[in-house]
Amino acid sequence: MIEITDIHKQFGRKKVLNGVSFTVNKGEISCLVGVNGVGKTTILNAIMNLTPLKSGKISIDGEKLTSSLYNKIAFIPDAAISLPHYNVQESMDFMADYYDTWNARRAKDIVTFFRLNPSDKLHDLSKGNQAKVNLLLGLALDVDYILMDEPFSGIDVFTREQITEVFSSYLVEDRGVLITTHEINDIEHLLDKVILLDEGKIYKEFNAEVMRETEGKSVIDVMREVYNG
Amino acid sequence: MKKTLKAFLNLTAFELDRLSKFLYALIGVTLVANMIGYVLIPLRFTDRINAYMVQNSVTEQQALEVYGELSFYDILQTSWILGPIALGVSALLLYAFFIWYREWLGKNTFAYRLLMLPIPRMHIFYSKFVVIYVSIFTLIAIQIVSLIFGFNLMSALVPSEWLRHMSFFSALSMHPFFYYILPLEPWIFLAINGIGLVFLHVTFTVILLERSFSVKGILIGITYVLITLLIALFPAFLPELIGNHYYLYNSELLILTVLSLGLISFTSIMISRFLLNKKITV
Amino acid sequence: MNVTFNKRDPIYLQVITHLKKQMVSGDLQPGEEMPSRRQLANQLKINPNTVQRAYSEMEEQRLLFTETNRPSRITEDPAVLKQLKKEWLNQAIDRFVSAIDPIDLSLEDLMPMIQEELSNRKKDVK
C-alpha cells in the first residue's frame, strides 16, 4: 500500500497541495483526476522522491522511499525519459543493466503487443510510439506499484485504445496502479478508485462502481459537479 | 556491496560513452593543431634562414646570428600548441556544467531515469566527477605523447646546428601553462589537481543548489563559493592576520591549506548528497 | 466479443446482463467453463475486479458454480435456468409493453407485425 498522509507543497507563495491524504492499494487501479495545474503530477513526483515536500509523509508498504525501492515502484512520466539517440533495444538494455526487477520476457511481450521495432531510434518515433516506449520501460519491471502521469495526453485515438488495453491485461494485474489524467473518458470503466483533486485538497474520493450503483452517476458526472460549481 | 560497485562502474562507463564524442573531438583538434605547429614553425624557420642567406649572400652562421636558433620553446608558445590546451581546459570547464544540465534540458528529461535508478544517488555525482577527471587525464596524456612526438619531429626537420640545444623538459618548464598542467614537478601537479578536484566538487554543489532551489539556489551558491574561497585562502592570509610571518613554518601552512581544501571537498560532498537525496527536483 | 458499456450503470451489472443473455440464447451452455476473470476482463476491456464482482454475484444467484481449484462454470440446475429464461422474458415483455403502451393498438393488429418482424430477423440470420 502506498500511503500518502497530509502532504503540503508550495511553489513560491502558491500552495499547490494543501493537506492531501489517500492510499493506493495493490490490485487496484486508482486515478487522480482534476483540471490542469491542480498538483497531480506533483503528487506522483513526490511519491517518487523527485520533488521535496513542505510537509507530510509518504510510505510504500510502510517504508520510506529509498533508491532500492525503485525496484518495487515504477514511474512512467508524461515525458520521454530515455536517451533520444538510443534505439528501443538499447533503452531496454539500459534498464536491464540496473534493475533487478527487469523482466526481459515481459518486455518482449510488450514490444510485440505495442508493435514496436527494437531497432528504431527513439528520436525517430512518433509521439504515440514514444509514449509506448515509456510504458514499455515501466511495465516490464516486476514492480508492485506503477505510477503513470497522463498516459493519454497528446496521443492519437488508436494508440490510446492500445494503451487502454494495457489496463485490462495481465500487465497491471495484481499491481497497484495510480494514474493521473484529465481525459477520464477513455478509462473510467477501468477504474477502481477515483480521487478528485480541487484547490490543493481532495474534494472527493470514491469507488467508481459504487458511485454508479448508489448514485447512478458516471465519474464525469461527479467531476462536472465539482468543476462547474 | 559488489552489486552497487558494478552499478557504479556501469554508470561511469555510460557517462564516459556519452562524453566520448566530445572527448574525441577535443583530442582531434589538439592533435591536428599540434601537428600543424610542429611542421609549420620549423619549416617557416628554415625558409626564413635560407631566404636570408640567399638574399644577403651570407653564411649560415651569420643568418643564425640574426634570427637565433630555433628552440622547442618557440613552437610551444605558439597558439598551435597553447590554443588546444586553452580550448581543452575551457571545454571541460563548460562540460562540468553541461554534464548536469543536459539531464534536464532538451526534449528528454533524462534526470527522471537517473534519479530513479535503484542505486545510491551519489553514484550519479561520483560517476560524473570521475568522467571529467578521466577526460582531463586523457587530454594530458595525449598532450604529453604529442609533445614528445613534436620534439622529435622538430629535431628531424631542422638541421641540428640550427637548433638551440635545450632539453625537452626545460623547454616545457619555461612556459607556465605546461609547468602547471603537465606532471613536470610532482608536487605542483598534485597541488594543481588537488585544487581542481576541490573546485569541481564546489562547482557540482553549486549546480545542485541551483537545480534544487533555482534562482534562490544561485544566490546560495554564490555565497557558498565565497565562503569556500575564504576557507581556502585563510592559511595564506593567516600570517598577515596574526601579524607574525614566522609563527608558522611553510610546511605547517601547507598542511593547513591541504586541510582546508579537504574540508571544502568534504562539505561539498555532504551538501550535494543532501540535495540529491532530499531537495532535487526534476 | 464487443460490448459497449454505459457509464452510469454499474459495470458489473452490465456484465451480468451480457452473460445472462448468452445463457438464454445458448451461446453459453449449461456446465460450460467460464473464462478466468482476467481473460474476460481482457476480452471486455474492463477491470478484472469488476469481472470478479460479476462472477461472485452470479454465484450468489446460483447462475455460476465453482468447485475448488477449478474455473467457474455455468449452472446445470434446470430450475435455475428455467427461472432465468422466465425472468428474461418477463423483462423483455415488460419493456416492450411499456414502449408500445402510448400507441392505441389492439392485440389483433399487433400480432401480425410481431410475426413479420420475427420472420425478417430469421431471414437476416440466414
Side-chain angles (χ1 to χ4, degrees):
Chain A
M1 186 168 69
I2 304 178
E3 234 178 321
I4 289 130
T5 320
D6 196 27
I7 57 173
H8 292 254
K9 168 89 184 175
Q10 250 170 289
F11 287 122
R13 281 213 184 139
K14 197 180 165 233
K15 283 185 181 167
V16 182
L17 301 175
N18 198 8
V20 170
S21 307
F22 64 93
T23 59
V24 175
N25 300 315
K26 270 181 92 172
E28 277 188 5
I29 302 175
S30 305
C31 186
L32 273 169
V33 287
V35 288
N36 278 335
V38 82
K40 292 172 297 196
T41 304
T42 306
I43 293 176
L44 299 192
N45 282 341
I47 296 174
M48 297 308 281
N49 188 22
L50 297 172
T51 197
L53 289 171
K54 195 173 153 229
S55 66
K57 218 184 101 200
I58 295 173
S59 71
I60 290 135
D61 291 338
E63 284 178 76
K64 269 196 89 163
L65 186 95
T66 55
S67 51
S68 61
L69 278 191
Y70 289 129
N71 264 315
K72 197 172 182 174
I73 176 165
F75 179 30
I76 302 164
D78 177 28
I81 60 166
S82 195
L83 292 178
H85 63 270
Y86 268 16
N87 66 29
V88 177
Q89 185 61 48
E90 286 166 328
S91 308
M92 292 195 284
D93 294 344
F94 181 88
M95 298 295 287
D97 273 348
Y98 295 96
Y99 292 86
D100 296 337
T101 41
W102 179 256
N103 184 332
R105 242 182 64 197
R106 190 186 304 156
K108 228 177 125 190
D109 286 354
I110 302 172
V111 168
T112 318
F113 176 75
F114 279 149
R115 283 183 235 119
L116 290 166
N117 182 358
S119 60
D120 279 350
K121 294 219 180 239
L122 299 191
H123 58 58
D124 294 335
L125 295 179
S126 66
K127 196 157 185 246
N129 277 344
Q130 276 183 5
K132 285 182 195 170
V133 172
N134 247 6
L135 281 168
L136 156 71
L137 298 182
L139 290 172
L141 291 168
D142 276 329
V143 289
D144 295 340
Y145 301 98
I146 304 176
L147 315 182
M148 295 182 205
D149 194 15
E150 300 283 351
F152 305 106
S153 77
I155 286 169
D156 64 275
V157 180
F158 301 107
T159 309
R160 220 183 277 185
E161 269 177 13
Q162 240 183 338
I163 292 176
T164 318
E165 266 184 59
V166 166
F167 294 99
S168 55
S169 74
Y170 80 103
L171 293 172
V172 301
E173 201 186 25
D174 298 331
R175 310 203 204 184
V177 180
L178 178 62
I179 321 171
T180 71
T181 188
H182 56 268
E183 291 168 67
I184 194 82
N185 237 328
D186 294 307
I187 50 163
E188 76 166 283
H189 58 290
L190 288 162
L191 303 177
D192 292 289
K193 189 191 276 186
V194 178
I195 302 145
L196 271 180
L197 277 175
D198 193 33
E199 292 177 358
K201 283 187 181 288
I202 291 184
Y203 177 81
K204 201 169 201 157
E205 183 182 340
F206 58 92
N207 180 294
E209 195 76 338
V210 171
M211 179 58 71
R212 285 186 276 261
E213 187 155 31
T214 55
E215 300 189 31
K217 285 177 189 160
S218 70
V219 177
I220 292 189
D221 290 336
V222 182
M223 284 177 74
R224 208 171 279 133
E225 284 172 13
V226 179
Y227 299 112
N228 290 350
Chain B
M1 181 60 215
K2 226 178 127 194
K3 223 173 64 194
T4 52
L5 182 68
K6 195 180 150 253
F8 175 67
L9 293 177
N10 250 336
L11 195 62
T12 310
F14 168 74
E15 287 285 358
L16 205 55
D17 182 52
R18 291 167 89 193
L19 170 110
S20 57
K21 269 190 204 141
F22 179 77
L23 188 59
Y24 292 151
L26 281 181
I27 292 173
V29 169
T30 303
L31 291 180
V32 169
N34 285 359
M35 261 347 113
I36 295 175
Y38 298 148
V39 175
L40 196 69
I41 307 296
L43 286 186
R44 211 188 269 158
F45 176 75
T46 49
D47 278 358
R48 213 179 282 154
I49 298 278
N50 285 328
Y52 188 82
M53 275 158 51
V54 173
Q55 270 166 25
N56 303 297
S57 39
V58 292
T59 62
E60 225 178 271
Q61 210 58 44
Q62 285 165 311
L64 283 175
E65 265 165 36
V66 175
Y67 284 104
E69 294 104 338
L70 183 73
S71 76
F72 193 46
Y73 181 75
D74 297 328
I75 299 178
L76 287 185
Q77 59 160 346
T78 63
S79 28
W80 296 113
I81 316 294
L82 296 182
I85 295 178
L87 178 75
V89 170
S90 37
L92 284 178
L93 210 61
L94 275 180
Y95 200 85
F97 285 88
F98 177 66
I99 202 171
W100 285 102
Y101 280 101
R102 69 158 167 219
E103 316 294 14
W104 278 269
L105 305 177
K107 244 169 70 185
N108 286 27
T109 312
F110 195 63
Y112 275 109
R113 182 86 283 145
L114 278 182
L115 293 173
M116 292 195 297
L117 288 176
I119 54 174
R121 286 195 179 162
M122 275 310 270
H123 278 18
I124 302 169
F125 181 96
Y126 291 128
S127 67
K128 290 187 186 303
F129 177 78
V130 166
V131 160
I132 289 192
Y133 251 74
V134 167
S135 317
I136 293 173
F137 285 127
T138 309
L139 281 180
I140 291 176
I142 298 273
Q143 189 63 69
I144 292 172
V145 172
S146 156
L147 287 169
I148 293 172
F149 177 80
F151 187 73
N152 288 311
L153 188 64
M154 175 196 73
S155 312
L157 287 175
V158 180
S160 67
E161 312 88 69
W162 295 11
L163 285 177
R164 188 181 315 149
H165 288 284
M166 182 190 272
S167 81
F168 180 61
F169 286 104
S170 42
L172 290 179
S173 315
M174 273 173 73
H175 201 284
F177 243 60
F178 300 101
Y179 185 69
Y180 288 118
I181 285 176
L182 299 183
L184 300 173
E185 300 267 357
W187 285 109
I188 297 284
F189 187 67
L190 212 65
I192 290 291
N193 277 290
I195 292 168
L197 183 143
V198 176
F199 176 77
L200 203 54
H201 278 162
V202 173
T203 307
F204 277 14
T205 308
V206 173
I207 293 170
L208 290 174
L209 279 167
E210 190 279 328
R211 286 289 82 194
S212 300
F213 306 114
S214 61
V215 183
K216 216 163 60 181
I218 299 178
L219 296 179
I220 303 172
I222 292 171
T223 317
Y224 182 66
V225 169
L226 292 177
I227 293 170
T228 56
L229 271 177
L230 277 182
I231 296 173
L233 296 175
F234 172 71
F237 289 121
L238 190 60
E240 290 305 334
L241 285 175
I242 54 177
N244 184 343
H245 286 258
Y246 306 100
Y247 188 71
L248 290 167
Y249 291 116
N250 276 340
S251 61
E252 287 173 329
L253 280 178
L254 185 70
I255 291 173
L256 260 183
T257 307
V258 169
L259 283 180
S260 56
L261 289 180
L263 177 73
I264 294 168
S265 253
F266 179 76
T267 329
S268 299
I269 288 176
M270 283 301 143
I271 294 173
S272 297
R273 192 161 87 161
F274 170 73
L275 294 172
L276 271 174
N277 286 335
K278 306 263 187 215
K279 293 290 172 202
I280 202 87
T281 304
V282 288
Chain C
M1 219 184 314
N2 235 326
V3 191
T4 348
F5 296 102
N6 83 58
K7 288 170 176 170
R8 292 203 170 96
D9 293 318
I11 294 179
Y12 83 96
L13 287 179
Q14 300 180 59
V15 173
I16 293 176
T17 308
H18 168 72
L19 292 175
K20 277 181 176 171
K21 185 179 173 187
Q22 288 190 308
M23 286 170 71
V24 175
S25 70
D27 284 343
L28 284 172
Q29 290 289 326
E32 191 173 328
E33 272 186 15
M34 294 297 292
S36 74
R37 66 182 199 130
R38 196 187 73 210
Q39 283 167 333
L40 189 64
N42 204 223
Q43 280 168 18
L44 300 175
K45 302 193 172 47
I46 54 172
N47 188 320
N49 294 337
T50 309
V51 177
Q52 178 62 49
R53 178 123 190 242
Y55 277 14
S56 319
E57 194 77 14
M58 286 175 79
E59 264 177 44
E60 228 161 84
Q61 295 173 20
R62 304 209 295 130
L63 294 164
L64 294 182
F65 70 98
T66 314
E67 289 158 5
T68 35
N69 294 327
R70 300 271 319 215
S72 300
R73 291 201 281 165
I74 303 288
T75 184
E76 288 166 325
D77 184 340
V80 175
L81 287 166
K82 208 176 139 197
Q83 176 63 29
L84 174 64
K85 273 186 192 157
K86 202 175 137 195
E87 220 176 76
W88 189 267
L89 208 57
N90 283 343
Q91 263 180 23
I93 289 173
D94 192 42
R95 268 200 304 269
F96 177 69
V97 170
S98 59
I100 62 161
D101 196 33
I103 305 165
D104 190 21
L105 214 62
S106 71
L107 197 60
E108 289 81 47
D109 296 332
L110 204 57
M111 281 312 283
M113 292 165 95
I114 294 176
Q115 260 161 356
E116 198 191 331
E117 177 65 26
L118 275 174
S119 60
N120 276 347
R121 284 199 171 229
K122 272 176 192 145
K123 259 185 245 156
D124 283 349
V125 172
K126 274 168 198 166

